[in-house]
Amino acid sequence: MSTSKQRPGALQGIRVVDFGHHVAGPLAAVMLADQGADVVHVDRPGVTPPVDDAFFNRGKRRISLDLKDAADLGVARDLVRRADVLIENFRPGVMDRLGLGWEELRAANPRLVYCSLPGFAADDPRAGVPGWEGVIAAATGNCRIRAGHAPDGWDDTRPTYTAIPVASNFAAFCGAFAIVASLTARQRTGRGDRVEVPLFDAMFEAIGGSGAYPVARGLPPERAISSNGSGTYRCSDGRYVQFNPIGATPRFLVWFLDAAGVTAWVGEGLTDRARLDRDPELRRLLHDRLTALFLTRPAGEWEELAGVAGVPLAAVRTLAEWLENDHARASGQVVVVDDPELGATAMPGSAVWLSATPALPGRPRHLPDADRAEILAELASPADPPSAEVASPGGASPAHPPRVEAGPVADSIAGPVALPYAGRRVVDLTQILAGPSAGRILVEFGADVVKINSPQRRVGAHGFVNRGKQTILVDVKSSQGQQILWRLIDEADVLTHNFPERTAERYGLGYEHVRARRPDIVYVSVSCYGYGGPWAGRRGYETQGQAATGIMTRAGGDGRPAVLGPYNVLDYGTGAMAAFAAAVGIYHRELTDAGQQVRTSLTQTGGYQQASFAVRPAHELRAVTPGGNVPGGERAAEPSGPEALGLSAWHRFYQAADRWFFLGATRRSLPVLREVPGLEQALSGLDGSDDDAVAAALQTAFRTATASEWTGRLTEAGLGAHPVTTLAELMADPWARSQGLTVTQISEEAGEVVMPGIAIRVHGNPPRLGHPVRRPGADAHEVLDRIGLAGSAETLEQAWAVQMSALPSGWEHF
């Protein structure tokens, strides 16, 4: 493949062959293409691309190859021999049978980074089970309604189906990060590696803190977020807002009540956090008062009022409205691409933004096989080196040799090597879940991360997301605290924060401030709404991101909007995105010695979680009415709402004699289903044309045996099926434990704790599990000693610049 086709971008010069299909593989590849990689997508001949092809294959070149044809298979092998990266998401064994497996290809191209994104891992007993999203959702408990959002009288054992491909998306996010990390490691070693992120494994990244708990307390029951009046409220125009004034103090609630003209509520004790926490009647009174208050104005007015007041609140929109939203367009989270078939088409922009190496999301897709002649001509020419990377004789990056070497990690290729970010130092100023998750992922790939929290206050979410980090409590607003912070920045490679736009500048910590002192820093910014548009300074959390981008509308169906699923898919998804942004920034820095600002947001992740639905020709968007939808709905055939069980009779949740399970099949599976023991009579006389009749027949039959029995019979027949697994069962599952997907560590504060492990597999250089989380601030002496301030520790503590005693809890919310 010729480098003449490459354009500016951090991954310029990297060649990718994308064998992906559906979501996971193409999404990981488009994230690389947007950062400048030269991606060739391999299509199956004769397949008509769906509408979302305009997004999933934008910016890529394309060739159609029949991998069962010897000549076409030879072309595919030639492509890979010249590539830096291969991406595929077939079931385990498929690529090996084609002669395109890792073991064979690395012999021909030792520098290849080979990324597999199957449903289940090759060593998983379920490796042969088709990894439909519903199957993975059943296997990982991602089929429950969020606490507080279920309809009245809801049966908690009943699953719910979402068409958002959460597992595929997380596999893509993690896979793209791991690919760039492996490319960075390759600069040191000269060798490629095999990355594997099965969809099942990727869901442990999505589960996050929901699966973390001290053993002595057990897995806590799911609770609705209701502190300080949090909730979804109907407004005077019939629309809804999502209000979430959470935090260690009631400041957001007080600000909101002041702006709304009801400051008198403060005197009634309705903002007393301690009383609200212990008095359910007071919480109910606050909720009732807010319910009446929100009915006095339309949703848009409340959103503007809250935005000015600095309060986390968002009007609930549809995805179509988000695609036309002024902020989404101005911030680049939505772009309009001139598609060769659809014309001007709105779709998600780049997953991450980089200041020095801008992303390239505006390049339209090529149609299948459009680049055949060019690609074949390149393959006929003498081969170029796979990329422009050069490793120094000592094995380290010439621009940034590691300060310290990590302990050796077994490398199946040729001896011990350091993890990709060994010797790299990160200063982590982020709070809550998204930003800290990025730091935790960097720790797992070798980085040394110092987590900074504010002293003399509750830390909140700390446990799982800060595993493996050093922790110190510093007042970064004080002059003495800034002295500590700047000494840490002076030795850092990466700085991460999640301040809203302009807040970091007020602290003297904006990118230009830091860049003036450290021009090579990779400066990672994470926010709710992104930067550059009119909402850049607004605050928000997971729920505001879901409300603004249409996810709550999709999850709620035709009724009241609801937060999607049991897991924080935007918080942890944005954590993976921020890790990807940092990885791209570090990769560029390793090659050029230049730093830059990189950033992402909850709403960018919200768009990517819905990318399968977020491709809209401009003429369709113009048909959207305020508060409404594209004619016919977001997607006429898409199931939505809590009552949804699946796509069709062939692809949905069913109730067996003891519990629910998911059946993953298609209408073409009818002959196979008729041969499954126990279904012969149930399906006789049905031709499959009446979906309701098939569903009724299957439901009656499935009640006659257990979910385990039915899934055994169905998977034996080659169909997808899995019992619905609870989170408690999943976190204690012996196989998940044996693979490190769930782990147990000993916390100095909480004793034995259970939590998700590492979702990403790198076979030659596996990531490491960080040390157990320490109580916030527990590493202050060691950190101060490292930066030469150990002798000033007592003075700094007396000045309230640092807190080293009476440390807060790190596990109180788990």
Side-chain angles (χ1 to χ4, degrees):
M1 290 181 283
S2 169
T3 58
S4 64
K5 288 292 176 183
Q6 280 136 23
R7 306 181 184 186
L11 299 183
Q12 181 179 6
I14 294 299
R15 305 165 180 176
V16 180
V17 181
D18 170 21
F19 290 98
H21 56 288
H22 299 307
V23 175
L27 180 55
V30 84
M31 289 172 65
L32 303 181
D34 281 351
Q35 302 307 321
D38 176 18
V39 180
V40 172
H41 180 73
V42 177
D43 291 281
R44 288 182 296 169
V47 174
T48 301
V51 172
D52 60 19
D53 184 78
F55 168 78
F56 284 112
N57 283 310
R58 73 174 177 210
K60 303 176 185 178
R61 298 192 291 161
R62 301 176 78 166
I63 186 170
S64 296
L65 298 174
D66 180 357
L67 298 181
K68 296 180 181 179
D69 177 84
D72 279 4
L73 184 60
V75 172
R77 288 174 174 160
D78 284 345
L79 278 170
V80 176
R81 288 191 188 102
R82 302 183 181 212
D84 299 283
V85 177
L86 179 151
I87 298 174
E88 59 90 11
N89 59 307
F90 294 105
R91 266 184 272 176
V94 171
M95 293 291 277
D96 296 282
R97 291 193 293 273
L98 292 169
L100 294 171
W102 160 243
E103 293 295 338
E104 183 169 341
L105 291 181
R106 73 168 177 170
N109 183 359
R111 292 175 59 81
L112 182 68
V113 175
Y114 189 110
C115 179
S116 298
L117 308 171
F120 295 97
D123 58 358
D124 192 314
R126 299 160 292 190
V129 176
W132 297 102
E133 281 290 330
V135 170
I136 304 298
T140 57
N142 188 37
C143 49
R144 303 189 310 279
I145 297 175
R146 179 74 63 105
H149 291 266
D152 292 339
W154 183 259
D155 177 2
D156 289 338
T157 66
R158 187 184 193 277
T160 185
Y161 178 85
T162 176
I164 295 178
V166 174
S168 291
N169 292 337
F170 267 88
F173 302 164
C174 293
F177 161 77
I179 287 168
V180 179
S182 295
L183 290 172
T184 302
R186 190 179 73 172
Q187 292 174 228
R188 182 179 299 151
T189 67
R191 300 192 296 272
D193 211 330
R194 184 185 177 199
V195 171
E196 187 181 14
V197 190
L199 273 60
F200 175 79
D201 298 29
M203 281 303 301
F204 286 84
E205 190 64 44
I207 290 167
S210 296
Y213 58 93
V215 171
R217 301 180 207 166
L219 185 68
E222 294 180 40
R223 294 186 296 269
I225 299 175
S226 60
S227 61
N228 294 339
S230 293
T232 304
Y233 295 91
R234 187 179 177 91
C235 302
S236 65
D237 55 354
R239 303 198 66 174
Y240 290 85
V241 294
Q242 216 302 316
F243 181 45
N244 201 12
I246 61 173
T249 70
R251 59 178 181 143
F252 292 144
L253 179 58
V254 172
W255 295 352
F256 176 76
L257 298 181
D258 287 346
V262 289
T263 304
W265 292 15
V266 177
E268 299 177 56
L270 291 176
T271 61
D272 186 328
R273 176 62 187 267
R275 285 184 60 194
L276 287 168
D277 283 347
R278 67 175 182 266
D279 187 347
E281 289 301 321
L282 190 66
R283 290 198 300 273
R284 187 175 298 111
L285 176 61
L286 175 60
H287 185 272
D288 290 346
R289 290 276 194 92
L290 288 170
T291 298
L293 179 65
F294 278 113
L295 283 170
T296 64
R297 302 188 195 189
E301 284 189 23
W302 286 120
E303 186 176 53
E304 288 301 316
L305 177 148
V308 172
V311 175
L313 180 150
V316 177
R317 289 172 169 78
T318 64
L319 173 60
E321 288 176 312
W322 175 248
L323 292 173
E324 282 202 303
N325 181 269
D326 290 343
H327 173 77
R329 297 286 183 96
S331 61
Q333 295 179 64
V334 172
V335 296
V336 176
V337 174
D338 188 14
D339 185 80
E341 284 189 341
L342 303 176
T345 303
M347 62 184 69
S350 173
V352 300
W353 178 94
L354 293 89
S355 61
T357 54
L360 305 166
R363 296 182 295 170
R365 65 169 168 166
H366 295 184
L367 296 177
D369 220 29
D371 304 288
R372 170 176 284 273
E374 178 183 64
I375 291 169
L376 293 179
E378 290 171 3
L379 294 177
S381 65
D384 298 327
S387 75
E389 298 170 349
V390 178
S392 70
S397 160
H400 289 280
R403 295 184 180 87
V404 294
E405 285 294 330
V409 179
D411 186 303
S412 61
I413 302 173
V417 296
L419 288 165
Y421 303 127
R424 306 301 175 218
R425 289 180 174 165
V426 180
V427 175
D428 183 358
L429 291 166
T430 63
Q431 307 299 319
I432 315 295
L433 300 179
S437 294
R440 173 189 51 78
I441 293 170
L442 295 176
V443 164
E444 291 163 359
F445 280 72
D448 174 3
V449 180
V450 174
K451 178 70 173 66
I452 296 177
N453 288 90
S454 298
Q456 312 304 327
R457 61 182 296 179
R458 290 167 60 183
V459 170
H462 180 77
F464 160 75
V465 293
N466 290 309
R467 180 176 65 203
K469 304 176 187 177
Q470 288 187 300
T471 168
I472 184 171
L473 302 175
V474 178
D475 179 6
V476 299
K477 299 177 186 178
S478 71
S479 59
Q480 296 97 328
Q482 289 246 329
Q483 178 189 14
I484 298 170
L485 178 59
W486 280 106
R487 290 216 185 180
L488 287 169
I489 292 173
D490 283 342
E491 65 172 24
D493 303 283
V494 179
L495 172 70
T496 65
H497 75 75
N498 59 347
F499 300 122
E501 190 171 67
R502 294 181 295 277
T503 300
E505 283 72 14
R506 291 200 298 270
Y507 293 160
L509 294 171
Y511 176 57
E512 293 303 326
H513 297 116
V514 177
R515 179 187 182 191
R517 186 158 170 168
R518 288 296 315 280
D520 62 345
I521 199 82
V522 176
Y523 183 100
V524 183
S525 304
V526 182
S527 67
C528 179
Y529 296 106
Y531 300 83
W535 296 359
R538 293 184 179 180
R539 291 181 171 90
Y541 300 109
E542 167 88 20
T543 51
Q544 279 66 56
Q546 288 201 24
T549 58
I551 293 178
M552 283 190 67
T553 300
R554 174 165 270 114
D558 295 330
R560 180 187 177 97
V563 176
L564 176 70
Y567 308 133
N568 285 7
V569 297
L570 297 195
D571 279 328
Y572 293 112
T574 303
M577 287 292 201
F580 172 69
V584 175
I586 293 169
Y587 177 81
H588 175 256
R589 177 182 189 261
E590 298 278 305
L591 291 178
T592 66
D593 208 24
Q596 60 181 313
Q597 184 179 17
V598 302
R599 58 199 190 199
T600 190
S601 68
L602 298 178
T603 49
Q604 279 175 286
T605 304
Y608 267 65
Q609 291 286 11
Q610 300 174 93
S612 300
F613 307 96
V615 175
R616 294 293 171 83
H619 70 273
E620 287 190 6
L621 287 172
R622 285 193 293 270
V624 177
T625 57
N629 240 319
V630 175
E634 291 275 41
R635 282 225 171 167
E638 181 198 346
S640 61
E643 292 81 10
L645 289 173
L647 294 171
S648 67
W650 318 94
H651 199 87
R652 55 162 276 187
F653 289 101
Y654 283 99
Q655 193 167 18
D658 59 338
R659 65 197 304 173
W660 290 81
F661 73 95
F662 189 85
L663 166 66
T666 66
R667 196 178 305 276
R668 295 189 300 272
S669 306
L670 180 58
V672 177
L673 277 166
R674 281 184 174 141
E675 298 297 320
V676 173
L679 295 182
E680 306 94 328
Q681 296 301 315
L683 295 174
S684 65
L686 296 177
D687 61 6
S689 60
D690 186 338
D691 206 69
D692 290 339
V694 172
L698 288 175
Q699 182 60 84
T700 299
F702 287 146
R703 286 280 198 168
T704 63
T706 67
S708 178
E709 289 172 321
W710 280 117
T711 54
R713 297 175 196 176
L714 292 163
T715 56
E716 181 69 23
L719 301 170
H722 203 286
V724 171
T725 303
T726 68
L727 180 58
E729 290 170 333
L730 182 66
M731 295 308 297
D733 179 72
W735 189 85
R737 284 185 175 275
S738 72
Q739 300 301 305
L741 294 171
T742 71
V743 298
T744 301
Q745 293 186 313
I746 304 300
S747 161
E748 62 184 6
E749 174 192 352
E752 190 176 15
V753 292
V754 172
M755 67 190 81
I758 298 176
I760 301 169
R761 303 178 180 208
V762 183
H763 288 248
N765 193 6
R768 71 172 186 216
L769 189 70
H771 61 70
V773 176
R774 302 197 65 196
R775 188 182 285 270
D779 299 301
H781 289 284
E782 182 179 345
V783 171
L784 292 175
D785 182 60
R786 193 175 84 195
I787 59 177
L789 291 175
S792 304
E794 185 176 347
T795 302
L796 290 168
E797 185 167 31
Q798 290 173 350
W800 298 96
V802 63
Q803 181 180 353
M804 293 184 288
S805 59
L807 299 176
S809 171
W811 281 97
E812 65 179 332
H813 293 292
F814 287 82

